[in-house]
Amino acid sequence: MLRTLHISNYVLIDHLDLTLDKGFSVITGETGAGKSILLGALGLLTGRRAEAKAIKADAKKCVVEANFAIDATRLQDFFTNNDIDGEGTECIIRREVTATGKSRTFINDTPVALNTLRELTSQLVDIHSQHQNLLMGDEHFLLNILDANETGAAHSSEYKQKYQAWREARNELQRLEEEASQNASEAEYMQFQLSQLDEAQLCDGEQEELEAEQEQLAHSEEIKAAFFRVSSHLSDEQLDISGLLRSDSHELNSIASIYPKAAALEERIESARIELEDIAAEAEQIAESLDFDPQRLEYVEERLALIFSLLKKHRKETVKELIELTEDLRTKLSRIENADELIAAKRTEVEATFKQLKQIADELSLSRKQTAQKLTERMLQLTEELGMPAAKLQFQIEQHEPAPNGQDEIKLLFSANKDLPLQDVAQVASGGEIARLMLALKAVIAEQQALPTIIFDEIDTGVSGRMADAMAGVMNKMAHNCQVICITHLPQIAAAGTIHYKVYKETAQGATISYIKKLSSKEREQEIASMLSGQDVTEAAITNAQELLKGRHFKENTL
């Protein structure tokens, strides 16, 4: 249940701290006093979109924080899976929104994403706003209701997993069939391309090697002449470089005994002489081995021309990419040759997956029908209490092709009179009837799911005074299973609450601020009398309010 609520700098709320009780609480206040603002702040805690305009003027950020009493065991998996400290019997949720529109969310001081917040609060609180009455005719809403119990949730989860597997297999089959059809028409050309590439016998790095060789062959005479000149210079008898170095070596060797440093220089000169003689010999050998080979140059240029034409034709940059293309073509042709086998195997898989899906879908349908029967029986008991003794209800469940949420097409059929046929509730039920049906539905859900807190925002819209009294009785019963908070404009419902809070606003120094306070017994009389008679509270209204409050105590004792 919701224990405390703190709001600061939210629209007209400067600072609010509210302590809430278990049981049935009511919240009243004049139109525009700030009840919707209070709900908007609560909506932030359930993961609704945060907007910068919601922040109080001149404030840097707004903060909404709630303390929930929880069953730690029931939520243990959630806390463990999200790595959140969940020990103890309380949970603190905080949402902060800055003036720039940025939002931060915390669960027990751990930063979390909005999806995580929504997952948790869906198990803690249900905020029923007026527009939700329209959901009575929404198929998705009805499916969620029928799948809300443990058995339905398990079947629904299993179905969605199998549906996804069947859909992926079916899409893969379709892709294989389309690919086979397209490739079959291109197979001949693909085979021509592959043959041409195979015939080229390309090697990675070949292009670079051929280009280097082409450069050498094209300049072979220049290279040969350069090596001959080097060899000639080093071997020239007139220059006699080797003889001069040998003579210098002897000179240094002759003084090495009296000047030791000369020995090291002598060794270096001798080493240089030997190296130069080797260079001369090798340069001469290279020069003699080099011969212009026009046939090899022609081959290299033809090979490069082939490579360049293949690169241009296939729009590739390197030989490596051409080799990859060759293997890709080979793989595609292999798949074309084996397409029938692949398609047959995938079709078998699709059929087997669909058979499993259909079995799970049938189990889910049966679970929904059983839940619908129990739900209908319990709702009819409550609608009788809510002033519709002749009402008829039926969940119409018809099967169609598997869809993401199952094979069932669901409508809630309703008739307010036994002699009138059942029709779609969205088409025949009045606003007051829809409100009472939704209340009955929420009451059953509260019984089945043990939801800690339910908040009703003017669910009594369009309801007469007598029916409001009946609705108050149902909400009072609901409060035996969970915490019920109702925002109302009707004095009959306001009087039925165990605890009464009033939202009001005051203007001071040019600023309008909303407040909420818990009313005393005397203040309750005045508030309910005001709701009965308007701004000018009469003695008759006060007497009437007292009678309503006495009636509340009577109801509490007889529920």
Side-chain angles (χ1 to χ4, degrees):
M1 60 166 275
L2 179 59
R3 284 176 171 169
T4 62
L5 178 66
H6 165 80
I7 304 172
S8 62
N9 299 325
Y10 185 78
V11 193
L12 298 180
I13 297 175
D14 183 24
H15 185 89
L16 181 150
D17 284 296
L18 180 64
T19 300
L20 292 147
D21 294 285
K22 62 182 180 179
F24 180 27
S25 299
V26 293
I27 299 175
T28 61
E30 294 179 0
T31 301
K35 299 187 295 301
S36 60
I37 296 173
L38 183 65
L39 276 177
L42 282 167
L44 288 179
L45 291 179
T46 61
R48 292 180 186 173
R49 181 181 176 185
E51 296 181 353
K53 66 181 182 180
I55 300 175
K56 195 172 184 294
D58 300 326
K60 292 182 179 180
K61 69 176 180 180
C62 76
V63 177
V64 183
E65 181 175 293
N67 182 311
F68 287 91
I70 63 168
D71 179 351
T73 304
R74 180 173 172 233
L75 294 171
Q76 189 56 56
D77 287 345
F78 168 83
F79 290 122
T80 301
N81 294 338
N82 291 284
D83 196 23
I84 296 172
D85 178 18
E87 297 182 1
T89 58
E90 73 172 14
C91 176
I92 298 174
I93 299 173
R94 185 171 78 257
R95 183 99 180 266
E96 301 176 355
V97 183
T98 67
T100 60
K102 293 183 178 180
S103 168
R104 295 195 304 166
T105 305
F106 303 86
I107 298 176
N108 290 342
D109 287 329
T110 301
V112 298
L114 280 183
N115 284 340
T116 306
L117 174 67
R118 294 184 186 112
E119 181 184 351
L120 173 62
T121 53
S122 67
Q123 302 177 66
L124 296 178
V125 60
D126 175 17
I127 300 177
H128 175 89
S129 58
Q130 294 180 54
H131 76 272
Q132 277 192 317
N133 287 343
L134 302 176
L135 294 176
M136 293 296 288
D138 183 82
E139 183 179 31
H140 185 69
F141 172 76
L142 296 175
L143 284 172
N144 287 338
I145 293 296
L146 296 183
D147 292 343
N149 59 76
E150 187 175 346
T151 302
H155 284 314
S156 178
S157 175
E158 186 180 4
Y159 174 86
K160 288 176 181 177
Q161 292 175 9
K162 186 57 67 177
Y163 179 82
Q164 183 65 23
W166 169 69
R167 186 175 179 180
E168 289 174 358
R170 186 186 60 177
N171 290 343
E172 177 65 11
L173 173 61
Q174 183 178 355
R175 189 190 67 78
L176 287 172
E177 290 174 337
E178 290 175 354
E179 183 182 80
S181 177
Q182 181 180 357
N183 288 345
S185 61
E186 299 176 358
E188 185 175 347
Y189 180 61
M190 291 169 64
Q191 184 61 61
F192 168 74
Q193 289 180 307
L194 178 61
S195 299
Q196 192 179 46
L197 289 166
D198 277 340
E199 186 178 345
Q201 296 183 345
L202 299 169
C203 297
D204 190 15
E206 178 184 11
Q207 180 182 354
E208 292 77 8
E209 292 177 5
L210 288 171
E211 287 174 342
E213 185 179 358
Q214 181 194 37
E215 188 73 13
Q216 291 178 12
L217 288 169
H219 299 86
S220 60
E221 291 298 331
E222 297 174 37
I223 298 169
K224 185 181 183 74
F227 275 109
F228 265 130
R229 284 192 295 271
V230 170
S231 174
S232 176
H233 289 159
L234 293 176
S235 304
D236 192 321
E237 291 181 359
Q238 290 182 352
L239 293 175
D240 194 16
I241 296 174
S242 181
L244 289 172
L245 290 173
R246 189 179 287 109
S247 174
D248 291 342
S249 179
H250 286 309
E251 289 289 343
L252 292 172
N253 187 52
S254 67
I255 63 172
S257 60
I258 57 177
Y259 194 77
K261 288 185 178 181
L265 291 174
E266 186 270 334
E267 288 180 4
R268 290 169 64 186
I269 289 174
E270 184 63 18
S271 176
R273 182 186 67 79
I274 294 171
E275 181 67 18
L276 286 173
E277 289 179 352
D278 285 344
I279 291 172
E282 187 172 344
E284 183 179 7
Q285 182 181 6
I286 291 172
E288 291 176 349
S289 67
L290 285 173
D291 287 313
F292 176 63
D293 187 349
Q295 291 182 342
R296 179 63 184 173
L297 178 59
E298 183 180 359
Y299 168 78
V300 170
E301 289 178 341
E302 288 178 353
R303 184 69 177 166
L304 283 172
L306 173 63
I307 291 173
F308 289 143
S309 68
L310 290 172
L311 288 171
K312 183 178 180 181
K313 177 180 180 179
H314 297 289
R315 298 180 181 179
K316 302 297 181 185
E317 297 291 332
T318 65
V319 172
K320 183 179 180 181
E321 291 179 2
L322 287 175
I323 294 171
E324 291 172 351
L325 173 62
T326 304
E327 294 308 312
D328 185 45
L329 287 170
R330 204 184 314 280
T331 301
K332 286 183 177 179
L333 284 168
S334 176
R335 291 187 68 173
I336 291 172
E337 293 173 2
N338 299 306
D340 290 342
E341 294 180 13
L342 289 172
I343 290 172
K346 183 56 67 174
R347 184 173 289 117
T348 300
E349 180 186 343
V350 170
E351 290 171 354
T353 307
F354 183 80
K355 186 177 180 180
Q356 295 170 358
L357 176 68
K358 192 67 173 67
Q359 180 179 348
I360 298 169
D362 290 341
E363 293 173 359
L364 178 58
S365 294
L366 178 60
S367 170
R368 286 170 172 171
K369 289 175 182 177
Q370 292 172 341
T371 301
Q373 182 62 34
K374 294 177 183 177
L375 192 60
T376 302
E377 292 173 359
R378 182 68 184 113
M379 284 182 67
L380 285 173
Q381 293 175 0
L382 291 172
T383 55
E384 185 171 355
E385 294 181 32
L386 291 169
M388 295 188 289
K392 295 186 292 183
L393 276 176
Q394 178 186 329
F395 282 90
Q396 178 180 283
I397 302 177
E398 298 179 350
Q399 294 187 355
H400 53 72
E401 290 300 310
N405 292 315
Q407 65 181 0
D408 305 312
E409 186 177 281
I410 298 180
K411 289 183 180 179
L412 179 60
L413 304 181
F414 169 75
S415 172
N417 301 292
K418 290 184 178 180
D419 57 342
L420 293 179
L422 288 164
Q423 297 183 61
D424 189 337
V425 66
Q427 297 177 5
V428 298
S430 67
E433 289 168 342
I434 286 284
R436 284 178 280 170
L437 286 172
M438 182 59 83
L439 177 59
L441 181 59
K442 293 282 185 176
V444 178
I445 293 172
E447 292 173 356
Q448 293 178 350
Q449 297 182 22
L451 194 66
T453 300
I454 295 180
I455 300 173
F456 291 110
D457 176 23
E458 299 183 9
I459 194 173
D460 48 28
T461 300
V463 175
S464 67
R466 187 171 63 85
M467 288 304 102
D469 197 51
M471 292 178 76
V474 170
M475 283 188 272
N476 229 320
K477 287 184 179 180
M478 289 175 65
H480 294 171
N481 300 313
C482 64
Q483 180 187 41
V484 177
I485 301 170
C486 181
I487 297 173
T488 182
H489 281 300
L490 296 181
Q492 291 85 352
I493 291 180
T498 308
I499 307 294
H500 191 153
Y501 301 90
K502 179 181 179 180
V503 177
Y504 63 100
K505 63 183 180 182
E506 294 180 349
T507 301
Q509 298 179 347
T512 302
I513 299 176
S514 288
Y515 301 92
I516 185 170
K517 69 174 182 177
K518 183 177 179 180
L519 300 182
S520 65
S521 298
K522 197 67 179 175
E523 289 171 329
R524 285 195 76 178
E525 286 183 11
Q526 287 293 321
E527 174 66 8
I528 293 171
S530 176
M531 295 171 73
L532 287 166
S533 64
Q535 196 169 18
D536 298 325
V537 178
T538 64
E539 287 297 326
I542 292 176
T543 302
N544 197 356
Q546 291 171 342
E547 291 299 320
L548 283 175
L549 288 168
K550 288 179 181 178
R552 174 183 67 80
H553 293 298
F554 172 77
K555 290 172 193 168
E556 287 181 355
N557 294 330
T558 56
L559 283 173

